[in-house]
Amino acid sequence: MTHVAPITRGEVLAADRAGDLDTALALAHRLHLAAGQGGGLPDRVEAFRMLARVLRHRGNPVGAREAVSHAARLTRLPRLRQEERLAASVTLDLAACEVEAGDPMEALQLAERWHHDADPKLAGRAWSVTGRAMLERGDVDGAVSAFCNAAA
């Protein structure tokens, strides 16, 4: 039996960023399977997030929303409830998927909690998702304001 090296999050990201979405999807599925077989809960959450990212970039917002929804459910398990940063990132991933799936109102509700977070990266992501959701709704002035907050 041949040994296959484990897939890393970095390999999935590299293929995704290079635009090789077929390879990225195959790697994301392998990462997801490996996390399910031997990884802990945080590994499974990250695998679902990677799968959602690739699916979003492949133009499958519904599949991406489903994958990140699984990650969100995992973050509510007792063993991960203390991982607030992870839960926030997953929530914002879900909000981004909601925008792309055509539900900007849901995205706005999900992102709102994180607008004034002490972590500027997290708050910036929340404002960025809010801006995209407002654009989707046709509120250009609100979107510009949100994007300015994201950049601040």
Side-chain angles (χ1 to χ4, degrees), residues 123-147:
R125 278 186 64 204
W127 280 113
S128 179
V129 169
T130 297
R132 291 182 16 230
M134 289 183 158
L135 274 179
E136 182 73 22
R137 290 181 46 211
D139 181 358
V140 176
D141 292 337
V144 168
S145 177
F147 287 135

Side-chain angles (χ1 to χ4, degrees), residues 37-103:
Q37 291 173 349
L41 285 176
D43 296 328
R44 292 177 188 176
V45 169
E46 283 301 320
F48 275 122
R49 290 182 70 204
M50 287 294 97
L51 182 58
R53 176 190 172 106
V54 173
L55 289 171
R56 232 178 43 242
H57 292 166
R58 287 179 57 98
N60 184 351
V62 174
R65 180 173 53 190
E66 183 179 322
V68 81
S69 291
H70 289 301
R73 281 191 288 281
L74 288 175
T75 63
R76 290 190 292 270
L77 291 173
R79 289 192 312 196
L80 289 182
R81 279 200 190 124
Q82 301 304 315
E83 301 288 332
E84 188 172 329
R85 299 291 91 184
L86 180 59
S89 291
V90 170
T91 299
L92 293 174
D93 289 346
L94 181 56
C97 289
E98 294 292 357
V99 171
E100 292 183 25
D103 192 352

